[in-house]
Amino acid sequence: MIFDKSGSSKANKTSKRVGCTARLNAIRQDNGSWIISKMVTEHNHEIDPTFSPLMAAHRQLNVHMKRQLEANDIAGIRPCKNVRICEVQSGGQQNLGCLPRECRNFVDQRRRLRLGDGDAEAIRQLFCRLQLKDGNFFYSMDLDEDGRLRNVLWIHPRCRAAYEEFHDILIFDTTYLINRYKMPFASIVGVNHHGHSILLGCALVTHEDAELFRWIFQNWLQAMNGVHPNAIITDQCPSINLAIRDVMPNTTIGTAYGIFCPKLQKNSSMSTISIDAV
């Protein structure tokens, strides 16, 4: 299916494997309704209903499978054997309900949530000590339904003081991947009156979606007394842009291609910034 909100035509897309041209195109009207503009029902291959579970809309990991995958991983079973066990118990890969890759991705995500013994508590105690030394130190810890650390945001008192003077433009960067847990590191950076970069906040996250970025920006604004920046420069992540529009609707969003793309920057004499006024 191809949905076009603007009504502009798009290049024809066919199946990469068999070149099937079956499709359904729809255009969204100004009143919110949809009009089907084109429909091709002829397939150049046999239609097998048994393939329907492999469609993205039908694939999902049920609660039982999630618990089993995580329990097997904690027991030291390798991901490939872990997935194979689920396939055997389901009666074959066709009855798994998802792709093996999605099972491995789930195991990898849960590993990020399982910090080492005492690591989460060590982080909390460190932040508590810093807050006792200076009451302006800010931190926020996000826990999952099992009480395990999922995301953490912290802001030094000097960052909060600097933001009071320099909140014209920020850079939000999540391109760093640090430590043995492979948790993305997010930094919020501003610019002072000397043109130097100043750190205005840091976060460690387990995944990158709109809900997580909303949590970061909401807590960060709470630490900054609700003062919104005039503009934020980010990469091309749609989830970040969506979160900014929801939490800071009056902030202008800029996309910096050269800053976040080393290969592009290496082959170009300057970085490219695209401004999207909100």
Side-chain angles (χ1 to χ4, degrees), residues 136-138 155-164 223-225:
N136 288 325
F137 179 83
F138 178 91
I155 306 171
H156 195 273
R158 288 197 295 268
C159 301
R160 303 180 68 181
Y163 184 73
E164 294 180 0
M224 301 305 184
N225 300 317

Side-chain angles (χ1 to χ4, degrees), residues 32-62:
S33 62
W34 292 83
I35 295 179
I36 297 177
S37 60
K38 184 177 181 180
M39 183 172 65
V40 179
T41 59
E42 293 77 14
H43 294 263
N44 63 355
H45 56 89
E46 294 184 2
I47 300 177
D48 189 349
T50 60
F51 290 158
S52 61
L54 300 179
M55 299 176 64
H58 298 167
R59 298 198 308 263
Q60 65 174 351
L61 278 167
N62 57 50

Side-chain angles (χ1 to χ4, degrees), residues 112-219:
R112 296 182 185 182
L113 294 176
R114 293 197 304 269
L115 301 181
D117 294 340
D119 285 357
E121 180 62 19
I123 294 175
R124 190 192 67 81
Q125 292 181 4
L126 171 63
F127 288 162
C128 286
R129 290 196 300 268
L130 292 174
Q131 200 169 58
L132 286 175
K133 292 181 180 179
D134 193 328
N136 288 325
F137 179 83
F138 178 91
Y139 75 93
S140 180
M141 301 178 71
D142 178 33
L143 307 178
D144 67 357
E145 62 275 8
D146 297 322
R148 291 175 296 192
L149 180 64
R150 183 164 55 182
N151 309 296
V152 57
L153 168 74
W154 68 96
I155 306 171
H156 195 273
R158 288 197 295 268
C159 301
R160 303 180 68 181
Y163 184 73
E164 294 180 0
E165 301 294 334
F166 311 108
H167 54 263
D168 294 328
I169 187 168
L170 306 178
I171 296 177
F172 183 70
D173 186 8
T174 59
T175 58
Y176 298 98
L177 193 66
I178 66 170
N179 69 36
R180 64 191 177 98
Y181 302 115
K182 297 183 179 179
M183 297 176 67
F185 173 79
S187 63
I188 303 175
V189 180
V191 181
N192 63 16
H193 58 296
H194 295 296
H196 298 161
S197 299
I198 51 175
L199 188 62
L200 299 176
C202 303
L204 284 174
V205 300
T206 55
H207 56 282
E208 298 178 81
D209 57 20
E211 181 182 358
L212 177 275
F213 292 127
R214 289 192 194 97
W215 178 86
I216 291 178
F217 292 132
Q218 288 170 351
N219 284 274

Side-chain angles (χ1 to χ4, degrees), residues 54-119:
L54 300 179
M55 299 176 64
H58 298 167
R59 298 198 308 263
Q60 65 174 351
L61 278 167
N62 57 50
V63 176
H64 173 73
M65 188 177 297
K66 289 180 178 179
R67 290 177 177 174
Q68 182 173 359
L69 286 170
E70 185 171 11
N72 291 344
D73 186 59
I74 295 175
I77 299 176
R78 292 185 299 177
C80 58
K81 290 187 177 181
N82 196 352
V83 175
R84 181 56 183 161
I85 291 174
C86 292
E87 291 178 352
V88 172
Q89 293 180 341
S90 301
Q93 183 176 339
Q94 68 277 7
N95 299 322
L96 193 60
C98 61
L99 298 177
R101 180 184 68 252
E102 294 170 327
C103 294
R104 291 191 292 269
N105 290 342
F106 172 79
V107 171
D108 182 63
Q109 181 182 6
R110 301 307 288 184
R111 283 179 176 178
R112 296 182 185 182
L113 294 176
R114 293 197 304 269
L115 301 181
D117 294 340
D119 285 357

Side-chain angles (χ1 to χ4, degrees), residues 169-175 189 231-238 240-241 244 252-265 268 270-276:
I169 187 168
L170 306 178
I171 296 177
F172 183 70
D173 186 8
T174 59
T175 58
V189 180
I232 295 182
I233 298 176
T234 69
D235 58 10
Q236 292 179 275
C237 178
I240 297 178
N241 294 342
I244 294 175
T252 300
I253 302 175
T255 302
Y257 300 95
I259 296 177
F260 300 102
C261 300
K263 292 183 179 179
L264 177 63
Q265 192 173 18
S268 176
M270 61 180 297
S271 300
T272 303
I273 298 179
S274 172
I275 302 298
D276 178 19

